[in-house]
């Protein structure tokens, strides 16, 4: 999901729904930023997720204690700090509700204009780098061809 723009154009979707996925990504902040890129500026990103409880320390301590084993067995990091992830991703929260002792979150978010601009700049820089690389490859290929031609002409001249 961290490369959604490879498959979908920017500002493609009115609404994006993600349910219980952020626990499985190596970089959930990057995933949320990428979702903002493909969401229309006035669109919504709906998240139903689970993470650490802010109101039940005992439960969070339990989640922390067994988080590594759970992640190894199931590919799910169940004690992630969703508030921190959402904040770092720059999502604009319209509504937030929690259940199950504060471990299940329902969020209605909007993409951040700031994040969308940052992502666009990054994409333009990547495209510029790819064009430079192609130019270098073409120039390198041209130089090799010129060198081969010179070598052949030199060899023929010697004979």
């Amino acid at each position: 999901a961290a490369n959604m723009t490879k498959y979908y154009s920017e500002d493609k979707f009115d609404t994006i729904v993600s349910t219980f996925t952020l626990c499985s990504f190596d970089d959930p902040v990057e995933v949320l930023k990428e979702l903002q890129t493909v969401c229309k500026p006035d669109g919504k990103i709906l998240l139903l997720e689970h993470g650490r409880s802010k109101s039940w320390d005992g439960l969070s301590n339990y989640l922390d204690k067994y988080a590594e084993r759970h992640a190894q067995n199931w590919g799910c990091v169940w004690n992630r700090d969703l508030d921190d992830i959402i904040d770092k991703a720059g999502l604009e929260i319209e509504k937030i509700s929690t259940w199950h002792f504060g471990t299940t979150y329902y969020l209605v978010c909007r993409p951040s204009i700031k994040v969308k601009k940052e992502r666009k700049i990054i994409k333009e820089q990547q495209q510029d780098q790819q064009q430079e690389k192609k130019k270098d490859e073409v120039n390198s290929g041209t130089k090799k061809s010129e060198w081969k031609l010179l070598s052949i002409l030199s060899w023929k001249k010697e004979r």
Side-chain angles (χ1 to χ4, degrees):
N3 197 1
M4 297 285 295
T5 53
K6 182 176 179 181
Y7 305 102
Y8 305 106
S9 62
E10 293 179 23
D11 304 329
K12 172 88 174 161
F13 299 104
D14 295 319
T15 304
I16 295 172
V17 179
S18 177
T19 59
F20 302 111
T21 59
L22 297 179
C23 62
S24 300
F25 289 107
D26 291 333
D27 189 350
V29 171
E30 184 63 27
V31 169
L32 290 175
K33 286 182 176 183
E34 191 71 9
L35 291 179
Q36 291 179 76
T37 303
V38 296
C39 187
K40 291 181 179 178
D42 60 344
K44 303 277 188 214
I45 298 174
L46 309 178
L47 304 172
L48 181 61
E49 297 292 340
H50 64 95
R52 65 182 307 102
S53 175
K54 300 291 184 197
S55 52
W56 293 79
D57 289 337
L59 181 55
S60 288
N61 291 338
Y62 176 85
L63 293 175
D64 292 343
K65 184 176 180 179
Y66 295 103
E68 188 174 336
R69 184 175 73 184
H70 186 76
Q72 289 173 350
N73 290 338
W74 304 104
C76 165
V77 182
W78 66 5
N79 66 334
R80 287 197 165 150
D81 185 340
L82 290 176
D83 295 321
D84 185 54
I85 290 169
I86 300 300
D87 184 54
K88 287 179 178 174
L91 282 168
E92 296 176 11
I93 300 172
E94 287 187 356
K95 177 182 178 181
I96 184 169
S97 300
T98 61
W99 297 276
H100 305 124
F101 305 105
T103 61
T104 304
Y105 287 64
Y106 171 65
L107 298 111
V108 177
C109 305
R110 288 188 327 270
S112 163
I113 299 302
K114 179 183 174 190
V115 170
K116 289 180 85 60
K117 286 179 182 178
E118 288 171 358
R119 303 296 287 183
K120 189 170 189 160
I121 290 169
I122 291 169
K123 186 175 181 181
E124 289 169 356
Q125 289 172 342
Q126 289 172 340
Q127 288 172 341
D128 289 346
Q129 289 172 351
Q130 288 174 346
Q131 288 175 347
E132 285 298 318
K133 186 177 177 183
K134 285 181 183 178
K135 283 181 187 177
D136 290 344
E137 289 172 357
V138 168
N139 289 339
S140 176
T142 302
K143 289 177 184 173
K144 286 179 185 175
S145 298
E146 290 172 356
W147 181 254
K148 284 181 184 178
L149 181 60
L150 286 173
S151 297
I152 292 170
L153 292 175
S154 171
W155 180 77
K156 285 185 177 180
K157 193 175 185 181
E158 290 176 6
R159 291 191 149 214

